[in-house]
Amino acid sequence: MLQALRTLPAPVTGDQLARNTGVSVRSVYRDIETLRAGGADIGGERGFGFTLIDDGSLRPRTFSRIEIEALTLGLAQVRKMGDSALAAAADAVLAKVAATLPSTGQQHVLHAVSRVHRFGDQASQDLADRVDMDLIRQGCWREEELEIMYTDRDGAVTHRAIWPLAIVYLDRMLVVLARCCLREDFRIFRFERISVVTATGNNFRPRRAALLRTYLALLDEESKRQ
């Protein structure tokens, strides 16, 4: 409920809150009173809508104006480059941060001067949404082996078992750094060449952090030689 009040344009009606949170309007009014009793300063009333004035659940934050610019710019980059789930998460983070700021800081968030524009953004987002990004992220988080169908540069389609280590957002390209079980070596897999992703249930915990450090060091050495 608090997150809905943070993100929806104020004043937010009971019907809007009910649709957003999946509860009845009657429950919305009851929850509003519970939140008020818990310390959240929520203005408004039934029939007129509600406005979150002071969020008692989050501790106040103090950021300088340049720090606010950095936050808004970084999260805007995530919205542009990430899949729909990551973009939604960026919006939620910014709303939570803004809710902890004094009114002046909230105005700085709304009127940040830094902007992000990347040519081909929509194509990158379409690619990210076509591939099961969430499954790959979960594979990295859980250190779980994945199976993929992958088309190599010569057009040959192979079935691979991989240990996903990290997702990397390059300019106009999205890749996953992984340990390839077929080749028994580190590999970079381009997302546009991945057609199917499934979880095997096999994990490689707790090796992800160490493997990623090793792979990044190898990539760094290779870049220095070029």
Side-chain angles (χ1 to χ4, degrees), residues 22-92:
V23 300
S24 68
V25 175
R26 183 177 180 181
S27 294
V28 165
Y29 294 142
R30 184 173 61 247
D31 292 343
I32 290 290
E33 293 308 314
T34 300
L35 290 171
R36 283 170 168 165
D41 187 359
I42 301 172
E45 56 185 274
R46 301 185 187 193
F48 294 95
F50 301 95
T51 300
L52 183 60
I53 299 170
D54 184 23
D55 189 341
S57 70
L58 296 174
R59 301 169 65 183
R61 305 291 183 202
T62 301
F63 294 102
S64 66
R65 189 155 193 178
I66 190 63
E67 288 171 340
I68 290 174
E69 288 285 336
L71 280 169
T72 56
L73 182 63
L75 291 170
Q77 183 82 327
V78 173
R79 285 197 300 273
K80 287 287 187 180
M81 296 179 65
D83 58 293
S84 56
L86 207 56
D91 285 335

Side-chain angles (χ1 to χ4, degrees), residues 6-214:
R6 294 180 190 120
T7 55
L8 294 173
V12 191
T13 67
D15 287 338
Q16 288 176 303
L17 288 170
R19 287 194 300 271
N20 188 271
T21 58
V23 300
S24 68
V25 175
R26 183 177 180 181
S27 294
V28 165
Y29 294 142
R30 184 173 61 247
D31 292 343
I32 290 290
E33 293 308 314
T34 300
L35 290 171
R36 283 170 168 165
D41 187 359
I42 301 172
E45 56 185 274
R46 301 185 187 193
F48 294 95
F50 301 95
T51 300
L52 183 60
I53 299 170
D54 184 23
D55 189 341
S57 70
L58 296 174
R59 301 169 65 183
R61 305 291 183 202
T62 301
F63 294 102
S64 66
R65 189 155 193 178
I66 190 63
E67 288 171 340
I68 290 174
E69 288 285 336
L71 280 169
T72 56
L73 182 63
L75 291 170
Q77 183 82 327
V78 173
R79 285 197 300 273
K80 287 287 187 180
M81 296 179 65
D83 58 293
S84 56
L86 207 56
D91 285 335
V93 169
L94 187 59
K96 288 179 180 179
V97 170
T100 70
L101 298 173
S103 58
T104 301
Q106 293 179 11
Q107 288 299 311
H108 291 168
V109 169
L110 289 173
H111 302 292
V113 299
S114 302
R115 293 288 184 270
V116 171
H117 178 77
R118 295 172 61 88
F119 293 100
D121 284 335
Q122 190 57 52
S124 298
Q125 288 178 320
D126 290 345
L127 170 63
D129 285 325
R130 192 185 75 227
V131 179
D132 195 338
M133 286 287 293
D134 192 55
L135 188 58
I136 295 174
R137 262 195 301 268
Q138 293 287 338
C140 293
W141 290 341
R142 297 173 181 173
E143 300 176 67
E144 185 174 75
E145 181 184 271
L146 301 175
E147 289 184 351
I148 63 172
M149 294 297 292
Y150 191 73
T151 304
D152 66 20
R153 68 180 66 183
D154 299 320
V157 179
T158 57
H159 178 267
R160 310 279 188 106
I162 66 170
W163 293 355
L165 305 177
I167 297 169
V168 181
Y169 293 81
L170 302 173
D171 187 29
R172 298 172 182 262
M173 188 186 301
L174 191 59
V175 303
V176 57
L177 306 184
R179 174 81 177 181
C180 178
C181 299
L182 176 65
R183 304 303 183 194
E184 296 185 346
D185 201 358
F186 295 112
R187 288 290 187 273
I188 295 175
F189 295 99
R190 296 173 56 156
F191 272 73
E192 73 268 20
R193 295 179 179 174
I194 299 174
S195 56
V196 179
V197 183
T198 56
T200 68
N202 302 322
N203 71 70
F204 55 97
R205 191 178 300 115
R207 300 180 62 188
R208 175 181 167 269
L211 287 169
L212 182 58
R213 281 196 301 270
T214 300

